[in-house]
Amino acid sequence: MSETGRPLFERLRYCVRCCMPSTNVGMQFDELGICLACRSSEEKMHINWIERQKQLKEILEKYKSKSENNYDCIIPVSGGKDSCFQLHILTKIYGMKPLAVTFSHNWYSKTGWYNLWNMLDKLNVDHIMFTPNRNLINRLAKQSLKGIGDPCWHCHMGVGTFPLQVAIKFKIPLIIWGESVAEGTGRATYSSPLKEFDRDYFVRNSARLYPDQMVSDNITKKDIYPFQLPSPEEIEKIGIIGLHLGDFIFWDSERQVEFIK
């Protein structure tokens, strides 16, 4: 008998619309068996994006007015499609003076490396980068596979931690990421966003383990020091907030890639 159309793993649950499996981190299904990512795509078409952009402009103007002798915001960038687009929007459309911040996973391809520096050159922004050593990355990747099921704990934790560390050192309270968490992840929708940004945001939603939990026979506390989060007191003193640009403007990855190209 033909097995065409039957799921590869019978015990897994799949979205009845897009076939996203329940193994996707944070995946939830409604009573019809439709995942949150699909629900978000429906909600997206009914949001008043003009009103959302007004809210964004008010936020940016508020922080711009406070930064006469400093950067207006921090923009974490990798050189990929999302960070390139958000850097363009915030500098060319909204006139922000950002400090671009990169946590390097130390796994850049030649094309990825070129894209990062090409973006920074074309958009004329100041930039700061941290790159952990390759030997440590290799050890963390092996430990990460055991701990969270993928080799990129250092990517998840670094992307969340390094911008916070820079924000503390430079006293820049506003951090702006690109794609909304509601955009295709299954962890939230536009009407039901994730818990408001705080120091533990990226641990809850991607890293899943704190640095101390990565200590092992071949990873010391000194090794993982660069991944340690600032204290709640340090964050509160600066008044750090984080937001996703994709929560305020209509996010269309395919169109944005064509624009960037």
Side-chain angles (χ1 to χ4, degrees):
M1 185 175 67
S2 174
E3 295 293 312
T4 302
R6 294 178 64 84
L8 183 61
F9 301 102
E10 296 286 352
R11 294 184 181 181
L12 283 183
R13 188 178 182 186
Y14 295 83
C15 173
V16 299
R17 181 175 294 172
C18 73
C19 297
M20 186 84 76
S22 57
T23 51
N24 190 38
V25 177
M27 180 57 66
Q28 299 177 43
F29 303 95
D30 66 12
E31 64 278 5
L32 297 177
I34 299 173
C35 73
L36 290 186
C38 287
R39 285 299 186 201
S40 289
S41 68
E42 293 178 0
E43 292 178 358
K44 192 174 173 180
M45 303 302 168
H46 301 285
I47 292 173
N48 184 338
W49 291 106
I50 299 299
E51 185 58 37
R52 291 260 182 131
Q53 288 183 55
K54 290 180 181 178
Q55 295 173 20
L56 174 63
K57 187 174 182 180
E58 290 174 2
I59 294 171
L60 298 182
E61 290 298 331
K62 172 185 174 182
Y63 283 92
K64 191 186 295 186
S65 68
K66 292 181 178 181
S67 58
E68 292 182 4
N69 300 313
N70 201 350
Y71 296 99
D72 297 330
C73 63
I74 283 175
I75 304 180
V77 299
S78 66
K81 60 181 177 57
D82 293 339
S83 60
C84 185
F85 181 74
Q86 76 197 58
L87 197 60
H88 167 81
I89 291 294
L90 290 164
T91 57
K92 301 301 184 182
I93 306 302
Y94 289 101
M96 299 292 282
K97 173 70 174 177
L99 174 60
V101 172
T102 299
F103 171 82
S104 169
H105 40 59
N106 208 335
W107 286 341
Y108 271 102
S109 65
K110 289 183 179 180
T111 300
W113 191 247
Y114 168 81
N115 287 342
L116 172 63
W117 294 103
N118 182 57
M119 174 189 75
L120 295 169
D121 181 56
K122 292 293 191 296
L123 294 174
N124 294 309
V125 295
D126 296 342
H127 176 245
I128 187 169
M129 173 189 280
F130 171 71
T131 307
N133 72 79
R134 181 60 66 88
N135 180 272
L136 174 61
I137 293 308
N138 292 341
R139 286 181 280 136
L140 285 172
K142 292 177 182 178
Q143 185 71 6
S144 180
L145 277 172
K146 301 175 185 177
I148 66 173
D150 79 54
C152 213
W153 176 86
H154 75 282
C155 313
H156 304 309
M157 196 68 202
V159 165
T161 301
F162 187 54
L164 283 175
Q165 294 171 346
V166 174
I168 297 295
K169 292 182 185 298
F170 285 82
K171 296 181 174 59
I172 307 170
L174 179 61
I175 306 176
I176 305 176
W177 284 278
E179 185 180 63
S180 170
V181 178
E183 188 72 18
T185 67
R187 285 175 287 167
T189 64
Y190 286 101
S191 61
S192 301
L194 291 174
K195 182 181 176 183
E196 188 175 353
F197 175 81
D198 59 22
R199 73 185 285 272
D200 302 303
Y201 183 88
F202 278 89
V203 180
R204 287 195 307 270
N205 299 309
S206 58
R208 289 178 279 167
L209 293 177
Y210 286 92
D212 289 346
Q213 294 175 283
M214 292 293 287
V215 174
S216 64
D217 292 339
N218 66 345
I219 298 173
T220 68
K221 292 197 71 171
K222 185 173 286 190
D223 286 333
I224 50 85
Y225 172 76
F227 298 90
Q228 295 286 4
L229 290 159
S231 70
E233 292 76 21
E234 289 176 307
I235 290 175
E236 184 177 357
K237 182 179 179 180
I238 305 300
I240 295 173
I241 72 162
L243 58 86
H244 292 271
L245 192 61
D247 284 325
F248 296 92
I249 67 172
F250 188 90
W251 205 259
D252 185 336
S253 293
E254 185 174 352
R255 185 179 180 185
Q256 288 161 199
V257 168
E258 291 303 316
F259 170 76
I260 293 165
K261 288 165 63 178

